[in-house]
């Protein structure tokens, strides 16, 4: 007799939790760490940082929608981590250490990226969006 996940008490729930945990780590690394740090290195203090980050929120949210991931908890983790990330950008040893940071620009651009990514991820998974795609 071969046991499946349904035969083990809590097996399906545990595997679902592990999948959610892996997706959270994936999105944290790709949509937060990689995306924001690369975009900060490219745009620096330019005002173009805002539309570039807004544009980057669309594929990030699309990836979350494709994988049916609801990023609410991850959003709060990213929001807190973002505060400390921006604080540490001008410390010695970082790529942007010689640059006088325009902190309001960095905070506005990164937090608007996070909010837009959250809103679009929920919108792309909504029934309204699915109906719009099917027509």
């Amino acid at each position: 007799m071969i046991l499946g996940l349904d035969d083990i008490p809590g097996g399906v729930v545990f595997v679902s939790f592990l999948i959610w945990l892996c997706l959270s780590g994936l999105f944290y690394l790709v949509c937060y760490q990689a995306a924001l740090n690369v975009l900060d290195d490219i745009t620096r203090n330019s005002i173009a940082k805002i539309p570039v980050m807004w544009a980057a929120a669309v594929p990030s949210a699309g990836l979350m929608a494709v994988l049916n991931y609801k990023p609410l908890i991850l959003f709060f983790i990213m929001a807190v981590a973002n505060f400390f990330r921006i604080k540490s950008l001008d410390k010695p040893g970082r790529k942007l250490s010689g640059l006088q940071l325009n902190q309001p620009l960095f905070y506005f651009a990164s937090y608007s990226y996070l909010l837009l990514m959250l809103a679009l991820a929920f919108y792309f998974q909504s029934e309204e969006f699915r109906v719009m795609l099917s027509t």
Side-chain angles (χ1 to χ4, degrees):
M1 172 188 212
I2 298 174
L3 290 176
L5 285 178
D6 295 331
D7 300 326
I8 301 169
V12 175
V13 175
F14 182 70
V15 169
S16 296
F17 174 73
L18 287 179
I19 291 171
W20 175 82
L21 198 61
C22 290
L23 284 175
S24 295
L26 170 76
F27 290 126
Y28 182 80
L29 290 175
V30 172
C31 298
Y32 175 70
Q33 285 290 335
L36 288 181
N37 287 327
V38 167
L39 292 175
D40 281 343
D41 288 345
I42 292 171
T43 57
R44 297 187 155 308
N45 272 339
S46 172
I47 196 73
K49 176 185 289 300
I50 295 169
V52 167
M53 286 203 178
W54 288 353
V58 176
S60 297
L63 180 64
M64 289 180 184
V66 166
L67 295 174
N68 199 26
Y69 180 78
K70 307 275 194 255
L72 192 58
I73 294 171
L74 184 63
F75 168 77
F76 290 113
I77 292 170
M78 285 190 230
V80 170
N82 189 50
F83 174 77
F84 294 107
R85 183 187 70 86
I86 293 174
K87 263 186 135 168
S88 71
L89 279 178
D90 56 354
K91 295 218 167 126
R94 298 286 304 235
K95 286 184 179 181
L96 301 176
S97 63
L99 180 68
Q100 180 62 34
L101 289 183
N102 182 354
Q103 288 204 353
L105 175 67
F106 274 73
Y107 279 113
F108 179 75
S110 60
Y111 279 110
S112 64
Y113 164 81
L114 292 174
L115 286 170
L116 187 60
M117 182 180 63
L118 176 72
L120 287 175
F122 280 115
Y123 176 69
F124 290 160
Q125 295 178 47
S126 71
E127 192 62 36
E128 297 170 16
F129 185 72
R130 292 172 201 228
V131 168
M132 184 183 74
L133 285 179
S134 66
T135 56

